[in-house]
Amino acid sequence: MVERKEQELLLQEASRKQLLRGQIDRREFLSRSLVAGLGMAGVGVAAKYGMGSALAQDRPLTPTFYDWIENLHPGIPAINEGFPDLNYQIAPVQGFGIERFVAEAKNGESTWDVYVGQTPFVEMTSLVEADVIEPWDDYIPAEVLDDMIPAIRDECTIDGKLYSWPFFLDVAGQGWHSGLTTTAGLPDSAPETWDDYLANAQAVIDSGAAPFGATFDAHGWRCVAPMAHSMSKDVYTPEGLFDFTSEPAIEALILMKKIMAVANPDILLAGATDGGVNGTPDEVAFAAQRVGYITKYFNAPLRMAQYWDEPTQLHLGPLPKFKGGEGSTVFWTTGSALFKHGQNKEKAAEYIKALTYDPRIWKDSIAGTETSHPGQLPPYKSIYAEWDANPPDWMLPFVALVRAQLDKAKAIENNLFGLSQFQIGQPLWQAYLTGEVEDPKVAMQNVMDAVKAERDRG
């Protein structure tokens, strides 16, 4: 009997805290109180602390940000000053983990109102299926929806509903250290084909300009997918899985092995930060000016060139393509998810609109600051139109390059396994890269089998 009373008190205290935080309303609190055997004692607590719905309105807007976003965009706190009651927080995520969000949603609650850091193919479908987030459609202004670049709006949409309010655009391409390539006697232009790219990388090594010719990030969405897209975007199954057994995917794997022959030897190791997905060996080698060429989303070489003696020696170009290939690439946006069990949803929309349109964000991203130069671009047509009509004095040429590549690029399709399919497959396709499996078709079939087996397990 004593044990049961202690349990009732624990339940009462937990519910009372949720009521005070605005995470449950008065009806839910009373229901829990009655179930826990508290009866009118629960009613007394509710009366003492007021209506849950009123308290929900008193809770300040509480966004949570993936930490890299503020690290790369240090102007965000200045924008937050325009929302004096904002309860700004850093998200408890690492390596794209969403476990905390899902656990709270199972209890019908959310500590936060909006998550800034969602990438559609990475976690959006998982958050939707776990009933963690809801669409923005009832809150986002119609003029903002209409202002989104169509390909980006499509990427952020599931079943006709917008589940990600896009913020930063990233497109995969190539960068090179023009100081090193000039020393190697190479033309200061982007290699158009992968054969040209490999030949130039070898020339960097042969000339002694740098110990390594080229590099890439070993995570599949940053190498296999964009390289495959450079041959053809038709690399997805009807259900939206990446088709690792397709010809473009197999050719991408073969290409990766060829690049490894002229790359930094630690290329397959995990990154040093964020659960291994950031601080990757390719970025370390490029920042140290030990490699001539890099293929990755454009913000990576922009960030790494900050560590060079002459950052202006960084030059950028489209992703190379296979001979006869269509010359596509991969793009994705990082945006905001609206928690179903959060509060302040109209205010969240007001905040995200202010954040994503603020010109200070885009000036800092494009021109760079003392601490960062991410080069991530906006998702809105009107901003580019204004720049075209009245170019700011801080505008840099790479903006036009990246924007043009978006028109050729394709987003990785949204699927419950959008990210995990690459995580499942990486050790299996790397068996070919390390020589454990001789046939790339066998390696990629092993990947496809493993992904489908995981899917069938539900």
Side-chain angles (χ1 to χ4, degrees), residues 155-354:
E155 176 212 16
C156 297
T157 299
I158 296 176
D159 295 333
K161 297 182 182 298
L162 190 84
Y163 283 95
S164 180
W165 187 325
F167 193 0
F168 302 119
L169 167 67
D170 281 306
V171 183
Q174 67 171 306
W176 67 94
H177 191 308
S178 64
L180 301 179
T181 58
T182 299
T183 299
L186 296 168
D188 192 19
S189 58
E192 293 186 9
T193 69
W194 288 113
D195 288 341
D196 295 336
Y197 184 84
L198 290 166
N200 285 14
Q202 187 63 56
V204 169
I205 297 173
D206 292 344
S207 69
F212 313 119
T215 191
F216 60 81
D217 186 315
H219 295 91
W221 61 95
R222 298 169 178 167
C223 55
V224 177
M227 291 177 184
H229 280 204
S230 74
M231 175 178 279
S232 173
K233 299 188 295 289
D234 187 18
V235 287
Y236 295 89
T237 69
E239 63 184 303
L241 290 173
F242 187 85
D243 186 357
F244 293 94
T245 62
S246 65
E247 180 185 1
I250 292 169
E251 289 300 321
L253 183 62
I254 295 171
L255 172 63
M256 288 160 60
K257 190 165 187 175
K258 291 178 179 178
I259 295 175
M260 284 179 63
V262 293
N264 42 300
D266 59 352
I267 193 170
L268 298 182
L269 296 182
T273 63
D274 198 16
V277 299
N278 288 318
T280 47
D282 60 310
E283 293 188 357
V284 174
F286 200 65
Q289 305 180 81
R290 293 173 59 79
V291 63
Y293 295 85
I294 187 172
T295 54
K296 201 166 183 171
Y297 38 86
F298 285 109
N299 91 62
L302 283 164
R303 287 184 288 110
M304 296 306 106
Q306 293 180 105
Y307 301 102
W308 297 356
D309 300 328
E310 295 291 341
T312 56
Q313 291 184 325
L314 171 68
H315 291 179
L316 302 171
L319 195 71
K321 64 180 181 178
F322 291 95
K323 188 175 182 180
E326 65 181 82
S328 181
T329 184
V330 162
F331 85 88
W332 55 70
T333 56
T334 301
S336 302
L338 185 66
F339 287 113
K340 181 175 183 178
H341 302 288
Q343 307 292 337
N344 303 297
K345 294 176 182 179
E346 291 83 1
K347 193 70 174 178
E350 179 186 342
Y351 173 67
I352 297 301
K353 179 181 178 182

